[in-house]
Amino acid sequence: MANQAHLYNPLTLAYLGDALLDLHIRTHVIMKLQAKPNTLHRASTFYVSAKSQAQTFDALVAEAYFTEAEHDVLMRGRNAKSHTKAKNTDVLTYKKSTALEAVIGYLKLSGEDERLQALLDKIVELCEEREPK
């Protein structure tokens, strides 16, 4: 399966990536805040919103963070034809967030756990740099 991760539909990869990112962020927020669930939910939304993911996408692309294979998945994810509408955001923002989630799913299915962890940590780092003080 690991060597065939690139064969999955990018929206399938994004489906998995969304869940993985959400779990990583929820764990991070719990450890950081140790607060009530409503507060935790609001805090995690800052990290996983389509707008935040699109900003992270732009920052990572600008610094050429992705490998060639990851960049291929990123572009396939961005260009995928989704049959669902973006909620509370424009289409380009939604496509960028989908692309980022696709790379996360790809790394998981590829068995590249260290690279996946590095990307998830980098996402948190970039979000915290943008976080209002």
Side-chain angles (χ1 to χ4, degrees):
M1 177 170 66
N3 59 359
Q4 295 187 2
H6 68 284
L7 298 177
Y8 282 93
N9 179 305
L11 296 177
T12 300
L13 296 173
Y15 175 75
L16 177 59
D18 175 61
L20 293 167
L21 179 60
D22 193 52
L23 179 60
H24 182 77
I25 294 303
R26 286 177 184 222
T27 302
H28 172 75
V29 169
I30 286 170
M31 301 303 279
K32 180 180 175 181
L33 298 180
Q34 298 178 2
K36 293 182 180 183
N38 188 39
T39 302
L40 296 171
H41 175 72
R42 280 182 286 148
S44 65
T45 300
F46 173 78
Y47 295 84
V48 297
S49 71
K51 180 181 175 184
S52 178
Q53 289 179 5
Q55 290 172 334
T56 300
F57 169 99
D58 289 336
L60 292 171
V61 168
E63 71 177 66
Y65 181 85
F66 298 105
T67 66
E68 187 176 331
E70 293 165 0
H71 193 266
D72 178 57
V73 171
L74 191 74
M75 293 302 103
R76 286 178 42 228
R78 187 191 67 186
N79 296 331
K81 301 271 192 253
S82 176
H83 298 289
T84 60
K85 298 262 184 182
K87 290 188 286 185
N88 304 319
T89 192
D90 61 274
V91 173
L92 182 58
T93 299
Y94 183 75
K95 286 180 171 282
K96 287 179 178 181
S97 76
T98 300
L100 184 62
E101 292 169 347
V103 172
I104 294 168
Y106 165 78
L107 290 172
K108 180 63 176 176
L109 291 180
S110 294
E112 297 185 41
D113 294 335
E114 286 183 31
R115 179 67 174 163
L116 172 59
Q117 189 61 48
L119 175 57
L120 293 171
D121 291 343
K122 182 72 171 177
I123 291 169
V124 169
E125 176 186 319
L126 290 169
C127 288
E128 289 185 343
E129 287 174 5
R130 292 192 304 265
E131 195 170 21
K133 303 298 179 206

